[in-house]
């Protein structure tokens, strides 16, 4: 009798090398050919991810990257690369190693680098948890018991500078919550309900979140309001000047869709943000027609555009899936600006900016990638290529 195997979820890394794209299954080593007709089976080399796992990645320069996910037991797991062993990824399951709570499942993961990486997730009570690496390389668990439980949507976004970290999520009431960690020795979380304290539109019930940080004095949070407009919250610390000798700090609220005349976003669609040249924010989302919309700060104002509509010299790129994922790595250098998204066929699409033009490629077809899972996040870093990560749904013994 033939055994029917269920598809297995694994993590696929797609990297640009030598002018082309290659992929690696991070959970399974490929078969090794034998002298005869038989081959060795695929060998599992890392814990399998949950089908509802999030993905988060940090790193650059080809070494030192760290990818985090939720494995099938609910433990937050990290695949880490050291500068001394670029081709080997070490595995660590934090639930067992540092007695961290099991993850809730179905929520995103977030990471910040700064002075030691932090990993953020929701526990089964849907409260935020941070895993932090200290200066001596030890990891500790920092649960945020002060914060209200997150909504069932489970969106997380984080940014940080130095020893300060800021985590954002929607609570069960749909309010935008900021949970800040400032390591000044007291080791306490500070929690603020931004929806209640700011004169800002409330987020939509299924709004995605994105955040950016520019050093220690500016941080930005992006979400969709109930009208599906793109809202930017910017926290700015302004130094004293000739006209104002006082240090001023506070939040500024801008409806970017109204100000720049951009189309409304898909309510539960993808949203991501990145900085160009370290200070100029670019925000990307999907509109109701399936086009990818770019909201770019040009120094004097916000300018909307559509990379998918204008791509390939005006012929256009494939439309974006309604609930698909989106990732970006941007730079002041045109050759380092990359967008990755899923189209309506669940193919991984790459948009690469060359000068003022966006060029598209279907990586699923061009690189013969493993099938993309029905529910997958995307995560990307500019390291050595760049590199993009997704969840695959295949039979690895095939």
């Amino acid at each position: 009798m033939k055994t029917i195997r269920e598809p297995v979820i694994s993590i696929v890394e797609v990297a640009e090398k030598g002018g082309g794209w290659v992929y690696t299954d991070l959970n399974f080593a490929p078969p090794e050919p034998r002298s005869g007709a038989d081959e060795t089976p695929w060998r599992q080399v890392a814990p399998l991810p949950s089908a509802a796992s999030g993905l988060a990645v940090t790193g650059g320069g080809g070494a030192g990257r760290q990818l985090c996910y939720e494995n099938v037991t609910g433990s937050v797991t990290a695949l880490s690369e050291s500068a001394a062993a670029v081709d080997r990824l070490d595995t660590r399951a934090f639930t067992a190693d540092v007695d961290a709570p099991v993850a809730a499942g179905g929520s995103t993961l977030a990471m910040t680098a700064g002075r030691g990486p932090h990993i953020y997730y929701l526990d089964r009570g849907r409260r935020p948890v941070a895993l932090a690496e200290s200066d001596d390389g030890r990891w500790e668990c920092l649960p945020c018991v002060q914060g209200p439980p997150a909504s069932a949507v489970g969106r997380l976004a984080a940014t940080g500078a130095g020893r300060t970290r800021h985590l954002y999520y929607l609570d069960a009431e749909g309010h935008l919550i900021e949970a800040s960690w400032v390591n000044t020795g007291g080791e306490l979380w500070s929690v603020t309900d931004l929806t209640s304290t700011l004169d800002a539109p409330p987020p939509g019930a299924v709004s995605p979140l994105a955040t950016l940080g520019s050093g220690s004095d500016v941080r930005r949070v992006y979400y969709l309001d109930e009208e599906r407009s793109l809202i930017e919250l910017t926290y700015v610390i302004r130094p004293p000047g000739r006209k104002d000798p006082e240090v001023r700090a506070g939040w500024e609220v801008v409806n970017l869709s109204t100000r720049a005349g951009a189309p409304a976003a898909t309510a539960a669609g993808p949203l991501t943000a990145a900085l160009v040249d370290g200070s100029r924010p670019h925000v990307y989302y999907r509109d109701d027609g399936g086009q990818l919309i770019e909201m770019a700060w040009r120094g004097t104002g916000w300018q909307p555009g559509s990379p998918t509509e204008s791509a390939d010299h005006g012929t256009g790129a494939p439309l974006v899936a309604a609930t698909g994922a989106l990732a970006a790595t941007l730079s002041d250098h045109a050759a380092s600006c990359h967008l990755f998204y899923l189209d309506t066929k669940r193919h991984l699409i790459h948009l690469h900016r060359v000068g003022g033009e966006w060029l598209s490629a279907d990586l699923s077809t061009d690189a013969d990638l493993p099938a993309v899972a029905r529910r997958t996040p995307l995560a990307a870093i500019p390291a050595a290529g760049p590199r993009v990560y997704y969840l695959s749904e295949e039979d690895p013994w095939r």
Side-chain angles (χ1 to χ4, degrees):
M1 179 182 294
K2 183 178 180 180
T3 300
I4 300 176
R5 297 188 179 96
E6 292 293 328
V8 172
I9 304 295
S10 62
I11 301 171
V12 172
E13 176 191 70
V14 187
E16 188 179 32
K17 295 182 180 179
W21 292 86
V22 297
Y23 75 86
T24 304
D25 190 315
L26 299 183
N27 298 99
F28 290 89
E32 296 180 1
R34 293 178 174 174
S35 56
D38 294 335
E39 291 186 343
T40 59
W42 286 77
R43 177 171 54 89
Q44 185 177 332
V45 294
L48 297 181
S50 162
S53 174
L55 291 176
V57 63
T58 60
R65 72 190 188 278
Q66 185 172 69
L67 176 74
C68 292
Y69 63 98
E70 177 192 341
N71 72 22
V72 292
T73 69
S75 177
V76 175
T77 301
L79 300 180
S80 304
E81 172 190 65
S82 66
V86 175
D87 295 328
R88 187 181 71 247
L89 295 178
D90 297 324
T91 302
R92 184 167 191 175
F94 284 101
T95 295
D97 288 358
V98 298
D99 196 26
V102 172
S107 69
T108 56
L109 293 173
M111 292 184 70
T112 55
R115 296 180 61 179
H118 280 49
I119 305 165
Y120 308 91
Y121 67 98
L122 299 176
D123 66 16
R124 289 190 171 173
R126 306 202 68 79
R127 294 185 184 274
V129 177
L131 301 171
E133 185 179 25
S134 61
D135 293 337
D136 60 4
R138 294 182 298 107
W139 284 85
E140 57 181 336
C141 175
L142 309 171
C144 181
V145 297
Q146 299 94 325
S151 72
V153 176
R155 306 286 175 83
L156 296 175
T159 186
R163 294 184 177 276
T164 303
R165 304 288 192 275
H166 304 282
L167 178 68
Y168 301 91
Y169 65 96
L170 302 183
D171 70 6
E173 301 297 322
H175 290 199
L176 178 61
I177 305 299
E178 178 187 63
S180 299
W181 176 268
V182 181
N183 191 350
T184 57
E187 297 188 349
L188 294 175
W189 288 92
S190 174
V191 177
T192 304
D193 184 333
L194 296 180
T195 300
S196 296
T197 57
L198 299 180
D199 185 17
V206 292
S207 172
L209 296 174
T211 186
L212 295 171
S214 300
S216 60
D217 56 347
V218 179
R219 60 185 184 271
R220 294 178 170 90
V221 185
Y222 300 93
Y223 65 90
L224 305 179
D225 68 8
E226 295 171 340
E227 303 299 321
R228 297 181 290 125
S229 294
L230 179 63
I231 306 300
E232 179 191 57
L233 305 182
T234 305
Y235 186 85
V236 181
I237 300 175
R238 302 190 185 280
R242 293 180 180 180
K243 295 183 179 180
D244 188 352
E246 300 294 328
V247 176
R248 302 292 181 182
W251 288 96
E252 300 172 356
V253 182
V254 178
N255 185 321
L256 298 183
S257 298
T258 300
R259 174 166 293 188
T266 304
L271 173 70
T272 193
L275 292 174
V276 173
D277 196 26
S279 61
R280 290 182 284 139
H282 285 51
V283 188
Y284 299 89
Y285 65 89
R286 180 193 189 272
D287 72 6
D288 285 340
Q291 300 290 353
L292 186 63
I293 304 301
E294 175 188 62
M295 292 289 288
W297 176 256
R298 302 298 186 187
T300 57
W302 288 92
Q303 180 179 333
S306 175
T308 47
E309 191 171 15
S310 64
D312 300 331
H313 310 291
T315 60
L319 297 178
V320 184
T323 57
L326 177 63
T329 67
L330 304 184
S331 169
D332 194 42
H333 302 288
S336 299
C337 293
H338 303 269
L339 301 174
F340 302 92
Y341 67 92
L342 300 181
D343 71 3
T344 56
K345 298 178 181 178
R346 285 191 3 226
H347 283 201
L348 179 63
I349 306 299
H350 172 228
L351 283 174
H352 175 204
R353 194 180 71 196
V354 179
E357 296 284 345
W358 288 97
L359 302 178
S360 72
D362 183 336
L363 296 186
S364 290
T365 299
D366 294 350
D368 193 23
L369 299 182
V372 177
R374 290 176 178 83
R375 179 202 176 277
T376 183
L378 292 178
I381 51 174
R387 298 170 190 250
V388 60
Y389 302 84
Y390 69 90
L391 298 182
S392 173
E393 188 176 49
E394 279 202 331
D395 183 352
W397 292 275
R398 186 175 60 185

